[in-house]
Every structure is written in structure tokens, then in C-alpha cells.
Amino acid sequence: MKYKKALTLAGLIAAAPLSSPALAANGHYVPGVEGIGGPAVPPPGVYYRGYLVHYDIDNLRDGQGNKAPGKNTGEVTALANRFIWITDKTFLGANYGMEAIVPLQDTSLNFRGLGVKDSDSGLGDIFIGPVVLGWHGQQWDAVFAAGHWFDTASYEPTEPASIGKGYGTTMLTLGGSWHFDADKRWSFSALSRYEIKTEQDDTDITPGDSWLVEWALSHRLDSGLNVGLVGYEAWQLERSKGTAADKAEKHALGAEVGYFWPHLGLGLNGAYYQEYNNEAGPEGDLLRLHLTKVF
């Protein structure tokens, strides 16, 4: 009962792509969807990026990182459609743009140790980002962005696999890349997200603020193939108001490969992450593919 109350009240066993408590630490954004080149804002133009994410839940962890009793498994498959417009306008020396994310997802939870079995699929909470700023130097790139996840998807407090989360989230982004050589063959990047949530529908719970960092150390081969070591670290910074649930935490390490075809305006990246040392939520492995198309 102790585990069921903590996990359910915190909303840690609901799910939605790029907006899932099963995937996220405790907010909307899912760590691991960006890796190599994540902080680099592209030149002016219109872009589509599709993120296909599959997350296998191996177990559930309590606030001290211990496994919940029994066998608790599940999976989330998500497709997030991201639309980006970088204008020819500048602000504070940065290229200005905007973005939107429309996610779709399917979730199946079988937490037998907690007596929870549920599934759902559909349209997730939608993100609108009216501010994207990108700076570029000879051997560096930087980004700042701001936007909001809207409470648009279906949410039921008694259904742990609900598509929506029942609250909105303001998300602030800050990140940068450093290229170790003039040809930009070797690079290190870090992309951070800070999330501030509203009160959840029907529960009187306000999830605590969270912060995460996605990082990548990458190398571009002579063939043009990018390979890299990637990872993410995510923390719930404060306890949620209206519940005694523990603060969530997630950590993962993985590898990524990617290639861009300039004549097609097309890029494809794939990454695999293995989570470790999680607290107050699911733990498992994440497979991510993302397709980028330049229009």
C-alpha cells in the first residue's frame, strides 16, 4: 500500500510521449529525446522532426532507489511530431524562431506487484513554444527557449495509463555545444530543461519543479556518420504540494549514431539508453529514433 500510494499520487505511472510521467522524472518533457546536436538551432527555415520513442519498464523504484515488491513491467511507444520555424529575424544577436509539438502515444502497464493493470492510447498534451533563440560562434552554439505544455489530453486520476497529465507545464530551455576543433569533428553538448507545473485536475496536487540535463560527447567520422556517448540526468527539485510522495529522479547512459543527407534535406538519428539509479518511479531502457526533414 505504501508503494501504490506514493507512485499513484505522484502521477508517476501515467504516460504520454514527450510528456509522460512514466518517461519523465515528474514533468512533461522526456529526457533522452535529444542527444547529439541537441542545443544547435538550425538556420532560418521550416523543419519537421519526428521522435519515435519506445520505453520498456523493468521495475519500479521507491524514494530510496529500492525496487517495489513483485513484478512491475510496462511499455510506452510514442511518436512526437515537432514543427519548427526559424525566421530571418534576430533578437539579442540570436536567430529567432518558434515551435510546436503534437504527441501521440500508446501505453500498457502491468504492475502486478502493486495490483495495477491499465492501458490507453491517443493524443497527448500539446506544447507551444513562441520563443526559440539560437546563437552561433566559430566553435560553439547556444540556445534559449520558452514555451508551455497545455492540459489538452484526456486525464482520469483513477486510470494510471491516462494519456494526459491533468496539469500544464511552463518549460524553460538553456543549452550549448562546444566544438573542440575548427572542423567541428569533436563536440560536447548539454541541453537543460526547467519545468514549472500548475495544479493537477481533480487531485489538488501541484507537482514540484524539475530540472534535467541531456548531454552528448560526439565525433563525426570521415564518412559523415556521427557517433557519440549520450546520457541524461533528471531531478524533481522540490516535493509536490498536496502529497507526501518522494521526489523523483532518473539517470541514464547510452550511445547514439546519426547521419544527414544534405541533398535530401534529411537526417536520421538513433539512440539507446539504459537507466540506472532511479528513484520514486519506473526504471528501464529507452530506444529513440528521430527523423529531421528540412523544407
Side-chain angles (χ1 to χ4, degrees):
M1 188 65 183
K2 171 186 174 184
Y3 287 91
K4 186 173 182 179
K5 180 179 178 182
L7 292 171
T8 304
L9 289 180
L12 294 173
I13 56 178
L18 286 182
S19 61
S20 162
L23 295 171
N26 79 316
H28 272 81
Y29 185 80
V30 175
V33 297
E34 298 286 2
I36 295 174
V41 174
V46 177
Y47 303 83
Y48 167 79
R49 177 168 280 186
Y51 302 83
L52 181 62
V53 177
H54 182 78
Y55 182 60
D56 277 317
I57 300 171
D58 299 327
N59 60 80
L60 299 176
R61 298 280 176 167
D62 67 12
Q64 288 71 51
N66 302 310
K67 284 186 180 181
K71 188 173 182 179
N72 303 288
T73 61
E75 58 181 34
V76 180
T77 301
L79 174 63
N81 301 286
R82 183 184 180 194
F83 305 92
I84 308 165
W85 177 31
I86 305 300
T87 72
D88 57 2
K89 307 297 182 183
T90 60
F91 179 72
L92 298 178
N95 293 115
Y96 168 73
M98 56 195 73
E99 61 181 333
I101 299 172
V102 181
L104 301 167
Q105 70 117 73
D106 180 81
T107 301
S108 178
L109 306 177
N110 189 13
F111 299 158
R112 283 180 280 181
L114 304 183
V116 172
K117 187 174 184 179
D118 195 22
S119 62
D120 199 6
S121 61
L123 180 68
D125 292 339
I126 293 173
F127 177 81
I128 301 295
V131 178
V132 177
L133 298 175
W135 293 265
H136 307 283
Q138 277 193 324
Q139 290 184 223
W140 59 270
D141 299 285
V143 61
F144 171 81
H148 190 79
W149 294 95
F150 289 89
D151 178 18
T152 54
S154 173
Y155 169 74
E156 292 293 338
T158 58
E159 298 176 4
S162 288
I163 299 302
K165 296 170 69 70
Y167 59 83
T169 297
T170 296
M171 185 171 74
L172 304 176
T173 297
L174 184 65
S177 300
W178 175 255
H179 309 291
F180 296 99
D181 58 300
D183 292 332
K184 301 182 179 181
R185 291 290 190 95
W186 285 95
S187 302
F188 178 79
S189 65
L191 184 67
S192 67
R193 315 278 192 177
Y194 191 91
E195 294 181 286
I196 307 165
K197 296 93 176 181
T198 64
E199 185 177 287
Q200 190 175 48
D201 298 339
D202 303 323
T203 67
D204 297 325
I205 295 172
T206 302
D209 291 0
S210 58
W211 181 60
L212 65 91
V213 178
E214 299 168 288
W215 57 268
L217 176 63
S218 63
H219 177 56
R220 190 178 74 255
L221 305 177
D222 291 339
S223 63
L225 187 71
N226 266 315
V227 297
L229 181 69
V230 293
Y232 56 78
E233 328 298 330
W235 300 269
Q236 181 180 345
L237 300 179
E238 57 183 7
R239 289 186 180 274
S240 300
K241 298 177 182 177
T243 176
D246 292 319
K247 293 186 290 184
E249 191 171 322
K250 294 173 81 72
H251 303 276
L253 186 64
E256 180 172 350
V257 295
Y259 192 84
F260 185 76
W261 293 268
H263 62 290
L264 298 176
L266 192 69
L268 181 64
N269 285 58
Y272 173 80
Y273 295 82
Q274 179 64 55
E275 293 184 333
Y276 65 93
N277 199 32
N278 288 12
E279 295 183 9
E283 183 175 84
D285 57 89
L286 184 145
L287 177 65
R288 178 257 298 164
L289 297 174
H290 72 241
L291 174 75
T292 303
K293 175 59 181 173
V294 183
F295 293 99

